[in-house]
Amino acid sequence: MSSGDLEQRIAEVREAFLERAAAASTPSEIEEVRVAFLGRKGTISQLFPSLGALPADGRAAAGAALNALKAEAAEQLEACRQRLSDAASDGERRAVDITLPGVYHSVGHPHLLSIVQREIEEIFLGMGFDVAVGPEIETEYHNFEALNIPAGHPAREDWDTFYISDTLLLRPHTSPVQIRVMESTEPPVRIICPGRCFRRDAQDATHSPTFFQVELLWIDEQLSLANLRYVIDRFVEAFFGPGYETRLSGDFFPFTEPSVQLHMREPGEESWLEIGGAGMVDPAVLECVGYDPETVSGFAFGFGLERMAMLKYGIRDIRTFLANDLRFIRQFRPA
Ligand code: FA5
């Protein structure tokens, strides 16, 4: 090969290198180009042995041209790598561009009924009660018999119950949880039980086929109606605040004796709203769960959660709770 041929070949290789280098757009493509031209068997490296075959007078110039190509190729590849890493960090910078307007992600919040349930739980936890739960599908035994309402007793009609089978039903009140707790706990017992109930009630402004009750049960020695009245008053004070009036009147429940009913009135309102029933636990119920009515006594209540929320927040129709209207739900975003 003459020195002119070699210079011609160097020019061709340079062209080919520049074309391949310009097309390389990833680190691995850049590495491929490096190996193809500058690697041990690369096109540029392979040209060096030809220098030895050149006549002495042209060898120096051809050697310089070849070295220059090798240096240029190495520089170009380094420049390609730099461009790629600049582009990558530019992309990263753009990914967290704090000057762009944010993307709005709507965050939900608990429903008013959950908020009220939690508030009530907090108040009673503060008074030393535990929170108990029971199944929404109940046995007839826990829902009626153990509560002193045997089969055929007319009081069963007070709870318009959805039956699932001959012995299973959707609980129409939370009172069966009293039984479950007493069956598994020695006295003293101090629990509340918030939970969903179901009744075949026609829907109107104060009735819904599905609603919540909060049950309370306190069994100890020497409890009386006066203690019940005290607990109700402290609760009303803590949950509703000042100005709400309460009224207890006589009632009948097979599982309490005596039994009372609680009505409440908003400040400045004329009409009373029934909140729930209460009373001293009937000795027959205590005996049924294996307690000795001679040594322990206690009281219970079952209050409607929606009714309490309605009074506290001025809600006039119980149907709004489940109407799924966001304009209603969003008014009660917890702080
Ligand atoms: C009972 O369910 C008794 N278990 C309460 C009780 C517990 C008495 C412990 C004594 C001792 P009553 O059927 O009255 O009682 O219901 C209690 C409250 O649940 C009602 O005052 C009302 O606030 C609420 N409630 C009942 N039915 C509905 C309904 N269909 N929709 C909304 N709230 C209801």
Side-chain angles (χ1 to χ4, degrees):
M1 190 187 280
S2 73
S3 61
D5 290 344
L6 184 57
E7 274 170 31
Q8 164 81 24
R9 180 82 188 111
I10 289 172
E12 284 166 12
V13 170
R14 182 171 180 275
E15 281 292 305
F17 169 79
L18 290 175
E19 203 175 299
R20 289 272 311 268
S25 59
T26 64
S28 62
E29 282 171 13
I30 293 172
E31 180 58 12
E32 271 171 34
V33 177
R34 190 194 67 75
V35 171
F37 287 87
L38 296 175
R40 210 159 46 82
K41 293 187 176 162
T43 322
I44 294 175
S45 311
Q46 294 284 310
L47 289 177
F48 278 90
S50 336
L51 282 175
L54 287 183
D57 57 344
R59 202 182 294 157
L66 197 51
N67 274 323
L69 172 60
K70 186 179 170 187
E72 184 190 2
E75 233 171 70
Q76 287 284 337
L77 290 174
E78 185 48 38
C80 286
R81 281 190 204 102
Q82 196 57 48
R83 263 200 315 278
L84 272 189
S85 85
D86 284 354
S89 54
D90 208 31
E92 275 163 26
R93 260 200 304 283
R94 242 175 286 141
V96 290
D97 185 349
I98 56 166
T99 64
L100 289 173
V103 180
Y104 177 70
H105 295 288
S106 156
V107 179
H109 62 85
H111 189 278
L112 178 59
L113 290 175
S114 306
I115 297 170
V116 165
Q117 179 178 327
R118 260 175 236 168
E119 268 181 62
I120 294 173
E121 286 174 2
E122 286 300 320
I123 291 170
F124 282 107
L125 285 168
M127 288 166 75
F129 287 78
D130 289 328
V131 177
V133 288
E136 290 174 1
I137 296 177
E138 256 304 353
T139 62
E140 214 178 22
Y141 173 78
H142 289 95
N143 192 71
F144 287 129
E145 271 133 58
L147 285 166
N148 203 25
I149 317 173
H153 194 290
R156 286 203 182 192
E157 283 161 27
D158 293 343
W159 290 271
D160 285 320
T161 306
F162 292 109
Y163 274 82
I164 288 176
S165 69
D166 285 347
T167 52
L168 290 178
L169 44 84
L170 292 179
R171 69 177 178 200
H173 57 170
T174 42
S175 296
V177 185
Q178 291 183 27
I179 302 298
R180 290 184 177 275
V181 171
M182 287 191 284
E183 275 175 347
S184 60
T185 321
E186 286 300 315
V189 171
R190 253 210 293 197
I191 54 120
I192 62 155
C193 164
R196 198 187 276 280
C197 305
F198 310 84
R199 286 191 199 183
R200 271 186 326 115
D201 277 347
Q203 191 142 35
D204 62 23
T206 53
H207 292 86
S208 169
T210 165
F211 59 98
F212 285 80
Q213 282 187 347
V214 181
E215 191 83 9
L216 174 140
L217 176 70
W218 185 351
I219 302 286
D220 213 325
E221 286 170 20
Q222 300 188 345
L223 288 173
S224 75
L225 264 189
N227 300 109
L228 169 64
R229 177 82 227 194
Y230 179 83
V231 168
I232 291 176
D233 285 352
R234 293 293 76 75
F235 164 66
V236 167
E237 204 173 77
F239 180 69
F240 291 97
Y244 283 81
E245 288 174 82
T246 57
R247 186 179 75 187
L248 287 183
S249 49
D251 202 347
F252 171 76
F253 295 101
F255 37 92
T256 46
E257 181 58 35
S259 304
V260 291
Q261 205 178 105
L262 174 71
H263 281 81
M264 283 191 66
R265 187 156 71 170
E266 278 177 65
E269 272 292 316
E270 287 249 318
S271 55
W272 295 88
L273 184 65
E274 182 197 311
I275 297 295
M280 299 305 294
V281 178
D282 196 290
V285 174
L286 296 174
E287 263 169 22
C288 185
V289 295
Y291 286 4
D292 177 6
E294 296 298 321
T295 51
V296 291
S297 62
F299 53 81
F301 69 56
F303 292 166
L305 191 85
E306 284 84 352
R307 301 262 180 104
M308 290 189 275
M310 287 168 81
L311 270 189
K312 180 166 176 175
Y313 294 98
I315 296 160
R316 300 287 170 236
D317 194 324
I318 200 170
R319 286 166 284 209
T320 37
F321 286 111
L322 300 183
N324 210 17
D325 183 342
L326 288 179
R327 291 168 305 175
F328 170 78
I329 292 169
R330 285 187 178 139
Q331 289 176 55
F332 305 101
R333 183 184 282 274

